[in-house]
Amino acid sequence: MESVELAFGGTSGIVVLLAYGGLMLAVGLITFLRNRNIHESLDEYYLGGRGLGVMVLFFTFFATQYSGNTVVGYPPTAYRIGYQYLVSVPFFIMIIAVYLFFAPRLYAMGRRFSLLTPVDWIDIRFKSKAVTILAATLMLYALGNYLLEQFVAIGQGVSGLTGGTIPYQVGVVFFIVIMVAYSWLGGMRSVAYTDTIQGIALLFGVFMLLIGSLIYFGGPSAAAEVMRSEAPEKLGAPDAGGIANWFSLLAIVGIGAAVYPHAVQRIFSARSEATLKRSFIRMAYMPFITAGVVFLVGIIGIAAFPGLTTGESEQLVGRIANALALENPLFYWAMILLFGGVIAAIVSTADSVLLTFSSIVSNDLYGRFIDPQAQEHRKILVGKLIGLVAVVVLVIIAWYPPSTLYQIFVLKFELLIQAAPALVLGLYWTRLNSRAVFIGMLAGTLLASTMTFSGWKPLGVFSGLWGLSLNVAVCVIGSLLLGVTREARAHAVEVIGEY
């Protein structure tokens, strides 16, 4: 391993870090100089003026869904469990399917009511302070969890891809400072533009990673020989419990990722409904191009680096990239691009999450309940400052990461999906009772939390789905039993039409 650690070590790794950091800062600065009023308007700062075109919208969706967890976290999981992790490809197909169910209609609501966040929609639809605050709390929890995941991924990505030359903690702090600086300067526009840059670099780098792995490590067939002799369970299909786990993963990821607050904000940012749909069409191909590719990289890693511990496998992508860089000058430069693309992808996902976290604080909590008369620039400032406090707290936690990326990834969905019935059912059912929605959301949250912390997982189904089942049952049955007042029904019909 000593030779592998030298590939990106020293000057080259530091130069790449500085180059990508400087590029991101330049994007933020140019965006700010071209849009001086960006800090005076919530729409401009948080939604890019609702004017994102097809390609920029596509790449910002791409960066949102295919985060550092995908590129850095998925191959180690495939390495550890083998072909059973093929389920990671349908994850993203499910996300697109859920999007198509509600996104076009939510976009129309966003244009009609000038919605800024998903909590905005829930507040307008139900006119319930309790529902609004609970939904905002769940989303802030999920966003904080997701930020923690990205911070861990930044540190592991920098450390792994530089062979340990740049320490984990240094990578975390350096790029968080860069991220806060350019997102503060340019808001959603700078976030979307950096998403586009990193998306192009990442796609090229990931494909070169796969090509190099196939050439130098023998491909899936070589990995199959290693698995057959050392870990045959990695070749087999899952048992009944494993299949239940597959389907529950598909459901929790499909629903959870589709209702990511930062993903929903991108729905509101589209220039038109046609723009939104064309972006989704392009996204439909990405599960195979991205998740499928990194899955294969994880499988090939079984032959390339057999016998890694769980902790060692978390840096699998870095090990493979460094090994390829020593084999051929072409792959050396391709891996440099991958190195920058992976780090930029992680940072671009983190900046999206931080921006949405700040928007919920500034618009949905501070602006709605604390100081409704505050001017928009003051709301933006409050959101920035609270977001900065959250970043500091999460950096302290990420200093010594509490779990693997995969475990952090699953945890955030358990509670986030409890906001899905209010967000999605509220678009279509006029008889949805606000009290039933609140009780269902709270009951689902308490059940999912209790099961998560106790480790209870009946039938191999994630606790978040048990909570969601209870949540939906309470929403539907409670609404049928309680009914809605004439005023509430009239308001619902006015907002969403007759459904």
Side-chain angles (χ1 to χ4, degrees), residues 1-18 72 153-172 174-175 315-323 325-326 332 335-336 338-340 342-343:
M1 279 301 296
E2 290 184 2
S3 61
V4 172
E5 291 174 354
L6 294 176
F8 286 123
T11 304
S12 61
I14 295 172
V15 167
V16 172
L17 281 174
L18 293 176
V72 178
I154 289 171
Q156 291 180 342
V158 170
S159 178
L161 290 168
T162 60
T165 301
I166 300 175
Y168 167 90
Q169 287 85 355
V170 173
V172 171
F174 177 81
F175 274 105
Q315 295 187 350
L316 178 66
V317 173
R319 292 170 182 269
I320 294 176
N322 276 283
L326 291 171
Y332 176 83
M335 292 305 100
I336 285 181
L338 172 68
F339 167 74
V342 166
I343 303 305

Side-chain angles (χ1 to χ4, degrees), residues 319-495:
R319 292 170 182 269
I320 294 176
N322 276 283
L324 292 178
L326 291 171
E327 296 288 347
N328 184 293
L330 172 63
F331 284 108
Y332 176 83
W333 291 107
M335 292 305 100
I336 285 181
L337 185 59
L338 172 68
F339 167 74
V342 166
I343 303 305
I346 298 167
V347 177
S348 289
T349 301
D351 61 26
S352 301
V353 175
L354 179 60
L355 196 70
T356 300
F357 186 100
S358 298
S359 70
I360 292 176
V361 170
S362 62
N363 182 71
D364 300 316
L365 297 180
Y366 177 77
R368 181 168 281 120
F369 300 117
I370 298 175
D371 189 0
Q373 304 304 318
Q375 295 183 344
E376 293 195 356
H377 71 85
R378 182 175 178 82
K379 294 178 184 178
I380 292 172
L381 178 60
V382 169
K384 285 180 176 181
L385 294 177
I386 299 299
L388 184 60
V389 171
V391 166
V392 172
V393 172
L394 292 172
V395 167
I396 293 172
I397 297 173
W399 205 255
Y400 296 102
S403 187
T404 66
L405 285 176
Y406 174 74
Q407 290 167 321
I408 296 173
F409 168 68
V410 172
L411 178 62
K412 65 180 175 289
F413 287 131
E414 307 288 355
L415 300 188
L416 176 60
I417 62 173
Q418 306 311 321
L423 182 68
V424 179
L425 286 181
L427 286 167
Y428 295 99
W429 194 20
T430 59
R431 297 185 181 276
L432 201 55
N433 182 284
S434 61
R435 281 191 296 165
V437 169
F438 174 77
I439 295 171
M441 196 185 304
L442 182 61
T445 298
L446 293 175
L447 178 61
S449 300
T450 301
M451 293 178 68
T452 297
F453 289 116
S454 68
W456 188 36
K457 196 176 179 182
L459 304 177
V461 176
F462 286 100
S463 59
L465 291 178
W466 289 110
L468 181 63
S469 299
L470 175 62
N471 186 346
V472 172
V474 171
C475 282
V476 174
I477 297 173
S479 294
L480 293 175
L481 293 176
L482 294 173
V484 290
T485 64
R486 182 175 300 175
E487 292 76 15
R489 168 90 162 113
H491 171 72
V493 171
E494 179 184 358
V495 170

Side-chain angles (χ1 to χ4, degrees), residues 93-112:
I93 298 174
M94 279 290 294
I95 295 169
I96 298 299
V98 176
Y99 270 147
L100 292 175
F101 176 71
F102 77 91
R105 183 157 179 80
L106 186 59
Y107 172 83
M109 296 296 123
R111 283 289 177 175
R112 181 181 174 190

Side-chain angles (χ1 to χ4, degrees), residues 74 85 91 108 133 140 209 274 292 373 391 411 452 456 462 488 498:
Y74 279 29
Y85 200 60
F91 279 173
I133 291 176
L140 288 174
L209 181 69
Q373 304 304 318
V391 166
L411 178 62
T452 297
W456 188 36
F462 286 100
E498 187 71 55

Side-chain angles (χ1 to χ4, degrees), residues 14-79:
I14 295 172
V15 167
V16 172
L17 281 174
L18 293 176
Y20 271 87
L23 180 61
M24 292 176 184
L25 279 176
V27 169
L29 181 60
I30 293 170
T31 303
F32 170 71
L33 292 176
R34 294 179 60 183
N35 302 272
R36 292 298 185 94
N37 66 335
I38 199 167
H39 299 278
E40 304 298 321
S41 165
L42 291 169
D43 269 11
E44 281 291 332
Y45 187 75
Y46 289 122
L47 298 181
R50 303 180 190 268
L52 299 189
V54 174
M55 290 309 297
V56 173
L57 187 64
F58 161 73
F59 274 112
T60 195
F61 266 121
F62 173 69
T64 297
Q65 301 299 342
Y66 298 89
S67 66
N69 185 72
T70 308
V71 180
V72 178
Y74 279 29
T77 307
Y79 178 96

